[in-house]
Amino acid sequence: MPANALPDALTATPLFAVGLTFTAYLLGNLVFKKLKQPTWLPAILIAALLLAAILAIIGLPYAAYRQDASWLTVLLGPATVALGMPLYQQMPHIRALWRPLTICLPIAASLAACYALAIAWLMGSSPQILASLAAKSVTAPIAIGITEQIGGSVALLLGALLVTGVATAAFVGLAARLLKIDDDRIIGFALGLNGHAIGTVRAFEISPAAGAFASLGMSLTGIFTALILPLAWRLIGVGG
Amino acid sequence: MPALNGFLWLISYWLIGEVMVHFTGLPVSSGVIGMLLLTATLAVWGRVPSTIAAAAQPLIGLLAMLIMPGVVGVFFILDELAGQWLAILCALIIGTLLSVITTLWLLKRLMGKTHAR
């Protein structure tokens, strides 16, 4: 019996990759709780590190894993549609504050992308890297769609999302103190707009009002960026 | 099976989004179009049917797991991006700091006016 018969048998169906993902996800959450939920180390990063380590140890190529795991990732489509439900539930907030939000959102959401793009461009990053960083403040399911549209690397984008989310959670408290802001609605909105899901989780730790506004900021930034960025990218003709 | 019924709604909206992207050539993902259509439908109904909530709630709860296979990919492109990391990290960290400050400052000024009436 050849040495590689067992791995081949295990990976004959996608169930191995799916089970592996569940395991890493649940273990990641467990470790996260044991470490008292550190802001700088989100559960998803722990889980991803575990998963990468397991793949490296058992010698399963990433491409093969990813292919089998598409049984899970195909659900991202309906899951993105599902985000319409919390968005609908945010409607009263949108109606109450529509004027400041309508002015703030386009400016802040554009700048969230533009600051990073300008710095990367000045430091000589390639068009493909720029395309991977552009959606850095958008919630993952929407950002993946945007990045595929404009031709970036989804793997790099997801790494960028992690860094951005963690940085946002760390900076918002600091900046709010500096600007003497103690309105939870403003702090929450800034967390969701810049830090997508990771920022929103942080906001719910502050207060339910901050959490609600973070969800709102996250949804609106996602929609605005999804509608504007691919079009702007095409008009400017970045990358080609 | 209320969750299955709701899940069919979500899939249908995604497929409608796909059809719209196909025919209009809009540079927007089908998921985003489906999401906007769902929001509009709920706004017309004025409530969230329990079937849709039963499917949407667990899916949203599992989002982090659904993106994990992609997140892991970043560890396998580390070599490809050698020499680019300083620019990428500077862009992400300094860019995020600047945009956090801008958002807070802007919204403080705008909401301040609303409060004053």
Side-chain angles (χ1 to χ4, degrees):
Chain A
M1 193 165 138
N4 61 350
L6 183 62
D8 281 353
L10 277 177
T11 52
T13 73
L15 281 176
F16 184 70
V18 171
L20 208 60
T21 314
F22 284 3
T23 311
Y25 176 74
L26 293 173
L27 274 178
N29 276 311
L30 198 70
V31 173
F32 182 67
K33 286 215 181 75
K34 280 269 185 294
L35 294 174
K36 302 205 166 56
Q37 319 200 340
T39 313
W40 52 272
L41 186 63
I44 171 110
L45 181 55
I46 304 174
L49 282 166
L50 279 171
L51 190 49
I54 299 173
L55 291 182
I57 291 167
I58 62 174
L60 181 63
Y62 174 66
Y65 162 74
R66 202 193 154 102
Q67 165 107 43
D68 286 354
S70 64
W71 276 66
L72 286 174
T73 47
V74 71
L75 290 175
L76 271 173
T80 314
V81 176
L83 292 175
M85 184 183 76
L87 180 63
Y88 162 74
Q89 290 162 335
Q90 300 296 330
M91 283 295 185
H93 289 308
I94 303 181
R95 244 176 253 138
L97 286 168
W98 69 270
R99 201 193 301 263
L101 295 183
T102 329
I103 304 172
C104 178
L105 181 83
I107 303 175
S110 306
L111 285 175
C114 288
Y115 282 133
L117 288 176
I119 295 170
W121 181 73
L122 285 173
M123 292 181 74
S125 295
S126 66
Q128 213 239 341
I129 290 185
L130 294 180
S132 316
L133 301 183
K136 75 171 189 60
S137 284
V138 176
T139 185
I142 300 180
I144 292 172
I146 297 175
T147 305
E148 283 169 350
Q149 294 273 354
I150 63 176
S153 144
V154 171
L156 179 54
L157 160 81
L158 291 167
L161 285 180
L162 279 178
V163 176
T164 306
V166 173
T168 304
F171 289 150
V172 166
L174 220 68
R177 240 170 291 148
L178 205 75
L179 293 166
K180 300 194 173 57
I181 294 171
D182 53 5
D183 188 335
D184 278 1
R185 296 175 305 173
I186 299 182
I187 294 174
F189 196 76
L191 276 168
L193 189 149
N194 293 290
H196 52 94
I198 299 178
T200 303
V201 169
R202 174 79 195 100
F204 272 109
E205 289 168 11
I206 297 174
S207 73
F213 272 80
S215 318
L216 180 63
M218 178 176 82
S219 321
L220 295 181
T221 305
I223 294 167
F224 175 80
T225 314
L227 297 178
I228 299 296
L229 186 67
L231 205 65
W233 211 260
R234 200 183 272 179
L235 289 177
I236 303 169
V238 196
Chain B
M1 284 297 276
L4 199 60
N5 187 322
F7 192 52
L8 180 58
W9 275 96
L10 298 180
I11 293 180
S12 307
Y13 273 90
W14 187 85
L15 291 170
I16 295 171
E18 192 80 337
V19 170
M20 283 176 65
V21 168
H22 181 79
F23 283 111
T24 58
L26 279 173
V28 181
S29 76
S30 340
V32 171
I33 295 180
M35 172 179 72
L36 292 175
L37 287 175
L38 179 64
T39 310
T41 313
L42 295 176
V44 170
W45 282 340
R47 64 187 183 88
V48 181
S50 59
T51 50
I52 290 183
Q57 210 69 59
L59 263 183
I60 294 172
L62 286 176
L63 268 175
M65 193 187 67
L66 298 181
I67 63 165
M68 251 182 58
V71 173
V72 177
V74 80
F75 300 117
F76 294 88
I77 55 166
L78 291 177
D79 295 340
E80 261 173 65
L81 294 170
Q84 305 266 16
W85 283 108
L86 184 66
I88 293 173
L89 285 176
C90 279
L92 291 174
I93 293 173
I94 301 171
T96 301
L97 179 60
L98 291 176
S99 91
V100 162
I101 293 174
T102 315
T103 312
L104 286 170
W105 178 81
L106 192 64
L107 203 56
K108 185 191 177 190
R109 293 214 39 185
L110 291 166
M111 302 239 306
K113 274 184 203 152
T114 320
H115 276 300
R117 308 243 170 194

